[in-house]
């Protein structure tokens, strides 16, 4: 079977077109898969941050328990501790800490109590972990945004039907 030069050019053209389509699909799917992976990194970082925020609220309640247990009988102290708990449970842990600090200042000997010291140490560790988680989250958001904003990546993601997520950066001090 002898093929004419025209038939060979046609087969080569079709083969080249098929290879080109395979290349385009491969590039688009690679861009899609990387974008999805980066999106998952951002979601995981956000979840880790929420876990640390919950830990901080729980630790605050432990701290409030230590203060409350120290001086159960004074109504003013009890009222202030309850107010601080309400602030913390409402998501405003920073303000709750200020309220609780005012109570602690009224009872300086409370600072030497073992439960209080331990709770404050854990609280401080948690604040540091929260700061690290916020930084990690922002780094993941930056990497995702840089990748999905690139010209060629946007083109390939558009071809593949990927919908870009709108992640926002967090204030490194607080998420509230």
């Amino acid at each position: 079977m002898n093929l004419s030069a025209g038939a060979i050019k046609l087969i080569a053209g079709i083969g080249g077109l098929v290879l080109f389509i395979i290349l385009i699909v491969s590039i688009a799917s690679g861009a899609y898969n990387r974008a999805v992976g980066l999106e998952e990194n951002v979601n995981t970082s956000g979840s880790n941050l929420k876990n640390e925020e919950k830990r901080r609220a729980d630790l605050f309640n432990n701290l409030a328990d230590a203060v409350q247990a120290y001086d159960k009988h004074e109504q003013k102290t009890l009222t202030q501790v309850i107010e601080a708990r309400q602030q913390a449970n409402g998501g405003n842990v920073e303000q709750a800490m200020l309220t609780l600090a005012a109570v602690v200042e009224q009872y300086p000997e409370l600072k030497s109590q073992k439960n209080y010291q331990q709770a404050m140490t854990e609280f401080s560790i948690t604040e540091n972990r929260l700061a690290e988680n916020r930084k990690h989250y922002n780094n993941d958001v930056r990497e995702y945004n840089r990748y999905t904003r690139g010209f060629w990546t946007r083109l390939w993601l558009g071809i593949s039907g990927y919908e870009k997520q709108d992640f926002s950066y967090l204030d490194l001090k607080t998420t509230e």
Side-chain angles (χ1 to χ4, degrees), residues 8 12 17 32 43-44 47 52 69-70 76 85 89 104-105 112 162 165 171:
I8 291 174
L17 182 61
Y32 182 91
N43 289 332
T44 299
S47 179
E52 286 301 318
Y70 181 77
K76 181 179 176 189
R85 277 185 198 267
N89 292 337
V104 172
E105 288 303 315
S112 65
Y162 179 81
Q165 303 299 309
D171 181 348

Side-chain angles (χ1 to χ4, degrees), residues 107-170:
Y107 301 96
E109 61 276 5
L110 173 62
K111 292 178 185 178
S112 65
Q113 187 196 35
K114 185 179 176 183
N115 289 344
Y116 177 81
Q117 286 179 335
Q118 184 177 1
M120 281 303 292
T121 300
E122 287 294 319
F123 198 82
S124 178
I125 290 169
T126 299
E127 287 297 319
N128 290 336
R129 288 169 57 171
L130 271 168
E132 282 301 311
N133 276 299
R134 286 184 193 106
K135 202 170 9 174
H136 187 71
Y137 177 86
N138 283 345
N139 287 339
D140 286 346
V141 168
R142 182 176 39 258
E143 185 178 356
Y144 174 82
N145 285 340
R146 279 184 181 164
Y147 182 72
T148 58
R149 287 180 184 157
F151 174 77
W152 291 111
T153 303
R154 272 191 323 206
L155 179 67
W156 303 129
L157 291 176
I159 290 170
S160 68
Y162 179 81
E163 291 185 31
K164 184 182 178 304
Q165 303 299 309
D166 187 28
F167 295 114
S168 300
Y169 292 102
L170 298 175

Side-chain angles (χ1 to χ4, degrees), residues 24-35:
I24 294 296
V25 169
S26 296
I27 291 172
S29 66
Y32 182 91
N33 290 341
R34 176 136 192 257

Side-chain angles (χ1 to χ4, degrees), residues 58-102:
D58 292 345
L59 282 170
F60 178 82
N61 285 325
N62 292 345
L63 192 60
D65 287 342
V67 172
Q68 192 172 351
Y70 181 77
D71 196 320
K72 284 184 179 178
H73 304 296
E74 188 167 323
Q75 184 61 36
K76 181 179 176 189
T77 302
L78 181 60
T79 302
Q80 289 173 321
V81 169
I82 289 170
E83 177 185 330
R85 277 185 198 267
Q86 289 171 341
Q87 289 168 335
N89 292 337
N92 194 352
V93 177
E94 285 82 12
Q95 184 59 43
M97 280 301 291
L98 291 174
T99 302
L100 197 60

